Short mmCIF file of all heavy atoms in Angstrom, two decimals:
data_model
loop_
_atom_site.label_atom_id
_atom_site.label_comp_id
_atom_site.label_asym_id
_atom_site.label_seq_id
_atom_site.Cartn_x
_atom_site.Cartn_y
_atom_site.Cartn_z
N MET N 299 172.05 101.74 81.79
CA MET N 299 172.23 103.10 81.33
C MET N 299 171.09 103.50 80.42
O MET N 299 170.70 102.74 79.54
CB MET N 299 173.55 103.18 80.55
CG MET N 299 173.83 104.55 79.92
SD MET N 299 175.45 104.66 79.11
CE MET N 299 175.16 103.51 77.75
N LYS N 300 170.59 104.72 80.59
CA LYS N 300 169.50 105.20 79.78
C LYS N 300 170.00 106.39 78.97
O LYS N 300 170.57 107.34 79.51
CB LYS N 300 168.30 105.62 80.63
CG LYS N 300 167.68 104.45 81.37
CD LYS N 300 166.50 104.93 82.18
CE LYS N 300 165.87 103.79 82.95
NZ LYS N 300 165.31 102.79 82.09
N ILE N 301 169.79 106.34 77.66
CA ILE N 301 170.24 107.41 76.78
C ILE N 301 169.08 107.86 75.95
O ILE N 301 168.39 107.04 75.36
CB ILE N 301 171.40 106.97 75.86
CG1 ILE N 301 172.60 106.48 76.70
CG2 ILE N 301 171.81 108.07 74.92
CD1 ILE N 301 173.72 105.93 75.88
N SER N 302 168.82 109.16 75.87
CA SER N 302 167.78 109.69 74.99
C SER N 302 168.50 110.48 73.90
O SER N 302 169.49 111.15 74.14
CB SER N 302 166.81 110.57 75.76
OG SER N 302 166.15 109.83 76.71
N CYS N 303 167.96 110.45 72.70
CA CYS N 303 168.60 111.19 71.63
C CYS N 303 167.56 111.59 70.60
O CYS N 303 166.69 110.81 70.24
CB CYS N 303 169.67 110.34 70.97
SG CYS N 303 169.15 108.67 70.59
N ILE N 304 167.65 112.84 70.15
CA ILE N 304 166.81 113.36 69.09
C ILE N 304 167.68 113.57 67.88
O ILE N 304 168.76 114.16 67.97
CB ILE N 304 166.12 114.66 69.51
CG1 ILE N 304 165.17 114.40 70.69
CG2 ILE N 304 165.36 115.27 68.37
CD1 ILE N 304 164.48 115.64 71.20
N PHE N 305 167.21 113.12 66.70
CA PHE N 305 168.10 113.15 65.55
C PHE N 305 167.25 113.00 64.28
O PHE N 305 166.14 112.52 64.31
CB PHE N 305 169.10 112.01 65.58
CG PHE N 305 168.44 110.69 65.87
CD1 PHE N 305 167.88 109.93 64.89
CD2 PHE N 305 168.37 110.24 67.21
CE1 PHE N 305 167.26 108.73 65.17
CE2 PHE N 305 167.75 109.04 67.49
CZ PHE N 305 167.21 108.29 66.46
N PRO N 306 167.77 113.46 63.14
CA PRO N 306 167.09 113.23 61.87
C PRO N 306 167.00 111.72 61.60
O PRO N 306 167.81 110.94 62.04
CB PRO N 306 168.00 113.94 60.85
CG PRO N 306 168.82 114.91 61.66
CD PRO N 306 168.99 114.24 63.00
N VAL N 307 165.98 111.37 60.82
CA VAL N 307 165.77 109.96 60.52
C VAL N 307 166.99 109.31 59.89
O VAL N 307 167.27 108.15 60.13
CB VAL N 307 164.56 109.83 59.54
CG1 VAL N 307 164.36 108.39 59.11
CG2 VAL N 307 163.28 110.34 60.20
N LEU N 308 167.76 110.08 59.12
CA LEU N 308 168.94 109.55 58.45
C LEU N 308 169.93 108.92 59.41
O LEU N 308 170.61 107.97 59.09
CB LEU N 308 169.62 110.70 57.67
CG LEU N 308 170.91 110.33 56.88
CD1 LEU N 308 170.58 109.31 55.83
CD2 LEU N 308 171.51 111.60 56.30
N PHE N 309 170.02 109.43 60.65
CA PHE N 309 171.00 108.95 61.60
C PHE N 309 170.40 108.04 62.64
O PHE N 309 171.02 107.78 63.68
CB PHE N 309 171.70 110.14 62.27
CG PHE N 309 172.40 111.04 61.31
CD1 PHE N 309 171.91 112.31 61.02
CD2 PHE N 309 173.55 110.61 60.65
CE1 PHE N 309 172.54 113.13 60.11
CE2 PHE N 309 174.20 111.45 59.75
CZ PHE N 309 173.70 112.70 59.47
N ALA N 310 169.23 107.51 62.40
CA ALA N 310 168.54 106.65 63.38
C ALA N 310 169.37 105.43 63.76
O ALA N 310 169.52 105.10 64.94
CB ALA N 310 167.17 106.21 62.86
N THR N 311 169.91 104.76 62.76
CA THR N 311 170.61 103.53 63.07
C THR N 311 171.87 103.78 63.89
O THR N 311 172.27 102.93 64.71
CB THR N 311 171.04 102.82 61.76
OG1 THR N 311 171.77 103.72 60.94
CG2 THR N 311 169.79 102.36 61.00
N ILE N 312 172.51 104.93 63.72
CA ILE N 312 173.70 105.27 64.51
C ILE N 312 173.35 105.41 65.97
O ILE N 312 173.98 104.87 66.86
CB ILE N 312 174.35 106.56 63.99
CG1 ILE N 312 174.82 106.37 62.55
CG2 ILE N 312 175.52 106.98 64.88
CD1 ILE N 312 175.37 107.63 61.93
N CYS N 313 172.25 106.15 66.22
CA CYS N 313 171.82 106.39 67.60
C CYS N 313 171.31 105.12 68.27
O CYS N 313 171.56 104.87 69.44
CB CYS N 313 170.76 107.48 67.66
SG CYS N 313 170.44 108.10 69.30
N LEU N 314 170.59 104.30 67.50
CA LEU N 314 170.05 103.07 68.08
C LEU N 314 171.16 102.17 68.59
O LEU N 314 170.99 101.49 69.60
CB LEU N 314 169.25 102.32 66.98
CG LEU N 314 167.84 102.80 66.74
CD1 LEU N 314 167.25 102.06 65.53
CD2 LEU N 314 166.96 102.60 67.95
N SER N 315 172.31 102.19 67.95
CA SER N 315 173.41 101.34 68.39
C SER N 315 173.98 101.76 69.74
O SER N 315 174.68 101.02 70.36
CB SER N 315 174.51 101.35 67.34
OG SER N 315 175.10 102.63 67.25
#
Side-chain angles (χ1 to χ4, degrees):
M299 177 177 66
K300 294 180 181 296
I301 301 175
S302 296
C303 47
I304 296 179
F305 48 84
V307 175
L308 179 62
F309 300 108
T311 55
I312 298 175
C313 192
L314 279 173
S315 66

